[in-house]
Amino acid sequence: MAQKQSDKKVIDKLRDDNHYYGKLGREYLSNSDIKNLQPSTFKQYGKIEPDNENFVKGRYFHQLILEPSKVKDFPIWTETETRGKAYKEFLEEKGLDFVLKESEAILIQDMAKEIVSRNDQLTELLMNKEALREEPIVGEIFGHPFKAKADLVTQGIVVDLKTTSAKTIEEFVWLGKNKYFYDTQAFIYQTLFNKSMTFVAIDKARKEYGNTGEFYHEIYVCPVSEETILQGKQKVERAVQMYENYHGKDKKEDIRNVIYNLNF
Protein backbone atom coordinates (compact mmCIF):
# COMPACT_ATOMS: atom_id res chain seq x y z
CA MET A 1 0.00 0.00 0.00
CA ALA A 2 1.48 3.36 -0.99
CA GLN A 3 2.26 5.61 1.94
CA LYS A 4 0.33 8.86 2.13
CA GLN A 5 2.21 11.99 3.07
CA SER A 6 0.58 11.94 6.49
CA ASP A 7 1.86 8.39 6.99
CA LYS A 8 5.43 9.57 6.34
CA LYS A 9 5.09 12.23 9.02
CA VAL A 10 3.71 9.67 11.46
CA ILE A 11 6.57 7.28 10.69
CA ASP A 12 9.12 9.97 11.47
CA LYS A 13 7.49 10.53 14.85
CA LEU A 14 7.27 6.79 15.55
CA ARG A 15 11.06 6.52 15.35
CA ASP A 16 10.95 7.90 18.88
CA ASP A 17 9.85 5.13 21.29
CA ASN A 18 8.02 7.71 23.39
CA HIS A 19 5.68 8.25 20.44
CA TYR A 20 5.69 4.61 19.28
CA TYR A 21 4.51 3.34 22.66
CA GLY A 22 2.71 6.55 23.63
CA LYS A 23 -0.50 8.31 22.62
CA LEU A 24 0.30 8.43 18.90
CA GLY A 25 1.28 4.77 18.74
CA ARG A 26 -1.88 3.69 20.52
CA GLU A 27 -3.90 4.94 17.56
CA TYR A 28 -2.59 1.88 15.69
CA LEU A 29 -2.98 -1.84 16.26
CA SER A 30 0.21 -3.90 16.48
CA ASN A 31 1.31 -7.48 17.01
CA SER A 32 1.37 -6.98 20.77
CA ASP A 33 -2.34 -6.12 20.56
CA ILE A 34 -3.05 -9.37 18.71
CA LYS A 35 -1.95 -11.28 21.81
CA ASN A 36 -4.64 -9.46 23.80
CA LEU A 37 -7.39 -9.92 21.23
CA GLN A 38 -7.73 -13.67 21.61
CA PRO A 39 -10.87 -15.42 22.95
CA SER A 40 -9.19 -15.87 26.34
CA THR A 41 -7.46 -12.46 26.53
CA PHE A 42 -9.61 -9.87 24.74
CA LYS A 43 -10.71 -8.25 28.01
CA GLN A 44 -7.05 -7.31 28.56
CA TYR A 45 -6.78 -5.29 25.33
CA GLY A 46 -5.13 -1.91 25.93
CA LYS A 47 -3.42 -2.97 29.14
CA ILE A 48 0.10 -1.55 29.41
CA GLU A 49 2.54 -4.19 30.63
CA PRO A 50 5.11 -3.05 33.24
CA ASP A 51 8.77 -3.46 32.42
CA ASN A 52 10.13 -6.85 33.46
CA GLU A 53 13.26 -8.99 33.31
CA ASN A 54 12.60 -10.47 29.87
CA PHE A 55 11.79 -7.07 28.34
CA VAL A 56 14.95 -5.49 29.76
CA LYS A 57 17.22 -8.35 28.68
CA GLY A 58 15.73 -8.38 25.20
CA ARG A 59 16.04 -4.61 24.90
CA TYR A 60 19.71 -4.71 25.93
CA PHE A 61 20.46 -7.51 23.44
CA HIS A 62 18.79 -5.58 20.63
CA GLN A 63 20.54 -2.36 21.53
CA LEU A 64 23.96 -4.01 21.54
CA ILE A 65 23.43 -5.10 17.93
CA LEU A 66 21.19 -2.43 16.46
CA GLU A 67 22.01 0.75 18.39
CA PRO A 68 25.40 0.24 20.08
CA SER A 69 25.90 3.99 20.50
CA LYS A 70 23.10 4.01 23.09
CA VAL A 71 24.51 1.16 25.21
CA LYS A 72 26.62 3.50 27.34
CA ASP A 73 23.39 4.96 28.75
CA PHE A 74 21.79 1.58 29.53
CA PRO A 75 21.42 1.28 33.35
CA ILE A 76 23.39 -1.64 34.83
CA TRP A 77 23.54 -2.59 38.52
CA THR A 78 27.22 -3.00 39.39
CA GLU A 79 27.31 -2.66 43.19
CA THR A 80 26.39 -6.19 44.30
CA GLU A 81 25.46 -9.60 42.89
CA THR A 82 22.23 -9.58 44.88
CA ARG A 83 19.04 -7.63 44.43
CA GLY A 84 18.74 -6.45 48.00
CA LYS A 85 17.89 -3.19 49.71
CA ALA A 86 20.47 -1.09 47.84
CA TYR A 87 19.26 -2.44 44.50
CA LYS A 88 15.64 -1.64 45.35
CA GLU A 89 16.63 1.87 46.42
CA PHE A 90 18.43 2.27 43.09
CA LEU A 91 15.28 1.24 41.21
CA GLU A 92 13.20 3.72 43.18
CA GLU A 93 15.71 6.50 42.61
CA LYS A 94 15.81 5.89 38.85
CA GLY A 95 12.09 5.17 38.51
CA LEU A 96 12.74 1.72 37.04
CA ASP A 97 11.09 -1.67 37.49
CA PHE A 98 14.11 -3.87 36.74
CA VAL A 99 17.82 -3.41 36.07
CA LEU A 100 20.37 -5.92 34.81
CA LYS A 101 23.16 -7.01 37.11
CA GLU A 102 26.65 -6.66 35.67
CA SER A 103 27.05 -10.44 35.38
CA GLU A 104 23.78 -10.68 33.42
CA ALA A 105 24.87 -7.85 31.13
CA ILE A 106 28.16 -9.62 30.38
CA LEU A 107 26.33 -12.82 29.36
CA ILE A 108 24.10 -10.84 26.98
CA GLN A 109 27.15 -9.03 25.58
CA ASP A 110 28.72 -12.42 24.82
CA MET A 111 25.56 -13.53 23.01
CA ALA A 112 25.46 -10.36 20.94
CA LYS A 113 29.14 -10.73 19.97
CA GLU A 114 28.61 -14.33 18.94
CA ILE A 115 25.53 -13.79 16.80
CA VAL A 116 27.26 -11.10 14.73
CA SER A 117 30.63 -12.80 14.35
CA ARG A 118 30.33 -16.58 14.14
CA ASN A 119 29.10 -16.90 10.55
CA ASP A 120 30.26 -14.71 7.65
CA GLN A 121 26.87 -14.62 5.90
CA LEU A 122 25.07 -13.75 9.13
CA THR A 123 27.64 -11.07 9.91
CA GLU A 124 27.08 -9.54 6.49
CA LEU A 125 23.30 -9.64 7.03
CA LEU A 126 23.27 -8.09 10.51
CA MET A 127 26.13 -5.63 10.09
CA ASN A 128 25.16 -4.30 6.66
CA LYS A 129 25.83 -0.54 6.84
CA GLU A 130 23.03 0.11 4.36
CA ALA A 131 20.43 -1.64 6.54
CA LEU A 132 17.59 0.28 8.13
CA ARG A 133 17.53 -0.29 11.89
CA GLU A 134 14.55 0.04 14.21
CA GLU A 135 12.51 1.10 11.19
CA PRO A 136 8.83 1.92 11.86
CA ILE A 137 6.00 1.67 9.38
CA VAL A 138 2.22 2.13 9.36
CA GLY A 139 -0.45 0.83 7.04
CA GLU A 140 -3.89 -0.71 6.81
CA ILE A 141 -4.73 -4.37 7.43
CA PHE A 142 -8.31 -5.64 7.27
CA GLY A 143 -9.57 -2.07 7.28
CA HIS A 144 -7.67 -0.97 10.42
CA PRO A 145 -4.49 1.08 10.94
CA PHE A 146 -1.52 -1.03 12.03
CA LYS A 147 2.04 -0.17 13.06
CA ALA A 148 5.25 -2.17 13.23
CA LYS A 149 8.91 -1.51 13.92
CA ALA A 150 11.43 -3.76 12.19
CA ASP A 151 14.74 -4.62 13.82
CA LEU A 152 16.42 -4.63 10.40
CA VAL A 153 15.36 -4.05 6.83
CA THR A 154 18.29 -5.36 4.84
CA GLN A 155 19.11 -7.22 1.62
CA GLY A 156 15.46 -7.07 0.56
CA ILE A 157 14.07 -8.77 3.69
CA VAL A 158 12.80 -7.85 7.13
CA VAL A 159 14.85 -9.39 9.97
CA ASP A 160 13.64 -9.78 13.54
CA LEU A 161 16.07 -10.75 16.30
CA LYS A 162 15.02 -13.13 19.06
CA THR A 163 16.57 -14.73 22.11
CA THR A 164 15.12 -18.08 23.06
CA SER A 165 15.13 -20.80 25.69
CA ALA A 166 14.01 -23.40 23.15
CA LYS A 167 16.19 -26.51 23.23
CA THR A 168 16.03 -27.19 19.47
CA ILE A 169 15.18 -25.33 16.30
CA GLU A 170 12.02 -27.45 15.99
CA GLU A 171 10.93 -26.29 19.45
CA PHE A 172 11.71 -22.67 18.56
CA VAL A 173 9.51 -22.91 15.46
CA TRP A 174 6.68 -24.64 17.35
CA LEU A 175 6.71 -22.09 20.17
CA GLY A 176 6.85 -19.22 17.70
CA LYS A 177 3.78 -20.46 15.86
CA ASN A 178 1.75 -21.68 18.82
CA LYS A 179 2.67 -19.54 21.82
CA TYR A 180 4.60 -16.37 21.02
CA PHE A 181 2.66 -15.05 18.00
CA TYR A 182 5.66 -14.95 15.67
CA ASP A 183 3.31 -16.07 12.88
CA THR A 184 1.07 -13.03 13.32
CA GLN A 185 4.12 -10.80 13.59
CA ALA A 186 5.44 -12.20 10.32
CA PHE A 187 2.13 -11.60 8.55
CA ILE A 188 1.85 -8.02 9.84
CA TYR A 189 5.44 -7.09 9.05
CA GLN A 190 5.45 -8.78 5.65
CA THR A 191 2.20 -7.02 4.73
CA LEU A 192 3.28 -3.55 5.87
CA PHE A 193 6.85 -3.67 4.53
CA ASN A 194 5.95 -5.74 1.44
CA LYS A 195 9.09 -7.81 2.00
CA SER A 196 9.64 -11.40 3.10
CA MET A 197 10.53 -11.97 6.74
CA THR A 198 13.28 -13.92 8.51
CA PHE A 199 13.70 -14.57 12.22
CA VAL A 200 17.25 -14.80 13.59
CA ALA A 201 17.40 -16.29 17.08
CA ILE A 202 20.08 -17.24 19.58
CA ASP A 203 19.68 -19.79 22.37
CA LYS A 204 20.28 -18.30 25.81
CA ALA A 205 21.90 -21.50 27.08
CA ARG A 206 25.58 -22.21 26.44
CA LYS A 207 26.56 -25.58 24.97
CA GLU A 208 29.94 -27.23 24.69
CA TYR A 209 31.56 -28.58 21.52
CA GLY A 210 32.05 -32.18 22.72
CA ASN A 211 34.52 -32.12 25.63
CA THR A 212 36.69 -29.39 24.18
CA GLY A 213 36.05 -26.74 26.80
CA GLU A 214 34.88 -24.46 24.00
CA PHE A 215 31.34 -23.15 24.36
CA TYR A 216 28.79 -21.70 21.98
CA HIS A 217 25.18 -20.54 21.71
CA GLU A 218 22.95 -22.23 19.14
CA ILE A 219 21.87 -19.81 16.39
CA TYR A 220 18.74 -20.25 14.29
CA VAL A 221 18.03 -18.50 10.98
CA CYS A 222 14.39 -19.05 10.01
CA PRO A 223 12.91 -17.59 6.80
CA VAL A 224 9.14 -17.51 7.19
CA SER A 225 7.13 -19.91 5.02
CA GLU A 226 3.92 -19.10 3.16
CA GLU A 227 2.15 -21.62 5.41
CA THR A 228 3.18 -19.60 8.49
CA ILE A 229 2.11 -16.33 6.84
CA LEU A 230 -1.32 -17.83 6.09
CA GLN A 231 -1.67 -19.07 9.67
CA GLY A 232 -0.72 -15.61 10.94
CA LYS A 233 -3.16 -13.94 8.55
CA GLN A 234 -6.04 -16.06 9.83
CA LYS A 235 -5.19 -15.30 13.45
CA VAL A 236 -4.88 -11.56 12.79
CA GLU A 237 -8.22 -11.53 10.99
CA ARG A 238 -9.89 -13.24 13.97
CA ALA A 239 -8.23 -10.78 16.35
CA VAL A 240 -9.46 -7.82 14.31
CA GLN A 241 -12.97 -9.24 14.53
CA MET A 242 -12.61 -9.40 18.31
CA TYR A 243 -11.47 -5.77 18.27
CA GLU A 244 -14.46 -4.73 16.17
CA ASN A 245 -16.90 -6.61 18.39
CA TYR A 246 -15.64 -5.43 21.78
CA HIS A 247 -13.32 -2.42 21.42
CA GLY A 248 -13.85 -0.62 18.12
CA LYS A 249 -15.63 2.68 17.58
CA ASP A 250 -18.78 0.85 16.51
CA LYS A 251 -18.36 -2.09 18.89
CA LYS A 252 -21.24 -4.55 18.91
CA GLU A 253 -20.94 -6.00 22.42
CA ASP A 254 -19.99 -4.95 25.95
CA ILE A 255 -17.14 -7.02 27.40
CA ARG A 256 -18.72 -6.66 30.84
CA ASN A 257 -21.54 -8.90 29.68
CA VAL A 258 -19.25 -11.70 28.53
CA ILE A 259 -19.01 -14.94 30.49
CA TYR A 260 -17.57 -18.25 29.33
CA ASN A 261 -19.75 -21.31 28.80
CA LEU A 262 -18.06 -24.62 28.15
CA ASN A 263 -18.48 -28.32 28.85
CA PHE A 264 -15.96 -30.22 30.93
Side-chain angles (χ1 to χ4, degrees):
M1 184 176 70
Q3 292 177 12
K4 297 178 291 186
Q5 183 64 31
S6 58
D7 287 344
K8 293 181 180 179
K9 292 179 179 178
V10 168
I11 287 170
D12 285 339
K13 289 184 178 180
L14 293 181
R15 297 184 195 284
D16 184 337
D17 281 350
N18 291 321
H19 287 305
Y20 190 86
Y21 296 105
K23 182 179 179 181
L24 176 61
R26 287 195 289 273
E27 295 177 10
Y28 297 81
L29 293 171
S30 69
N31 193 56
S32 59
D33 294 317
I34 300 304
K35 299 176 185 179
N36 284 333
L37 286 170
Q38 300 302 305
S40 60
T41 62
F42 69 93
K43 295 179 184 179
Q44 302 298 310
Y45 169 76
K47 183 177 181 180
I48 298 175
E49 296 290 336
D51 221 5
N52 61 47
E53 179 177 351
N54 288 331
F55 288 165
V56 174
K57 288 182 175 180
R59 191 159 60 245
Y60 187 56
F61 175 76
H62 278 71
Q63 208 167 84
L64 285 164
I65 298 171
L66 303 173
E67 301 177 297
S69 63
K70 295 182 179 181
V71 169
K72 64 182 185 300
D73 299 320
F74 204 96
I76 305 292
W77 175 247
T78 61
E79 300 302 315
T80 64
E81 261 301 302
T82 60
R83 290 189 165 94
K85 181 180 178 181
Y87 168 82
K88 293 175 182 177
E89 290 174 347
F90 178 80
L91 290 184
E92 187 174 350
E93 176 188 342
K94 300 294 184 181
L96 301 171
D97 296 310
F98 182 87
V99 172
L100 293 174
K101 296 186 296 185
E102 187 172 24
S103 58
E104 293 170 329
I106 290 172
L107 289 175
I108 297 171
Q109 291 165 16
D110 290 342
M111 289 168 56
K113 289 176 184 175
E114 185 168 354
I115 201 170
V116 300
S117 64
R118 208 173 82 201
N119 177 278
D120 290 343
Q121 289 182 320
L122 193 54
T123 299
E124 183 180 351
L125 181 72
L126 299 180
M127 296 291 99
N128 183 355
K129 293 182 179 179
E130 303 301 318
L132 300 176
R133 289 171 166 76
E134 297 289 351
E135 180 68 12
I137 197 166
V138 295
E140 188 175 287
I141 298 176
F142 298 127
H144 292 272
F146 270 77
K147 67 175 182 180
K149 185 176 280 191
D151 288 343
L152 285 169
V153 182
T154 179
Q155 298 182 10
I157 63 173
V158 179
V159 177
D160 193 78
L161 298 170
K162 302 290 187 187
T163 59
T164 181
S165 298
K167 301 297 187 294
T168 64
I169 191 168
E170 292 83 8
E171 184 182 0
F172 171 75
V173 171
W174 188 92
L175 289 169
K177 289 183 178 183
N178 296 284
K179 183 176 181 181
Y180 295 129
F181 292 85
Y182 295 169
D183 54 346
T184 56
Q185 180 187 1
F187 167 70
I188 292 168
Y189 281 46
Q190 188 159 307
T191 300
L192 295 181
F193 284 98
N194 195 29
K195 298 179 187 297
S196 60
M197 179 140 195
T198 293
F199 291 107
V200 176
I202 185 167
D203 185 2
K204 298 175 186 177
R206 289 201 316 161
K207 298 177 182 177
E208 185 179 5
Y209 290 111
N211 292 313
T212 63
E214 184 181 356
F215 292 87
Y216 67 99
H217 293 270
E218 204 70 81
I219 296 172
Y220 309 133
V221 178
C222 304
V224 177
S225 68
E226 286 303 315
E227 177 187 359
T228 297
I229 293 295
L230 178 59
Q231 177 177 299
K233 178 181 180 180
Q234 293 169 341
K235 288 165 71 172
V236 171
E237 187 170 21
R238 288 196 297 267
V240 166
Q241 290 171 352
M242 296 293 283
Y243 173 80
E244 291 173 349
N245 285 340
Y246 297 103
H247 301 286
K249 182 179 178 181
D250 300 316
K251 61 186 178 183
K252 303 175 181 66
E253 301 182 50
D254 188 336
I255 58 174
R256 296 166 186 81
N257 292 332
V258 176
I259 59 173
Y260 291 102
N261 292 288
L262 69 162
N263 294 322
F264 276 97

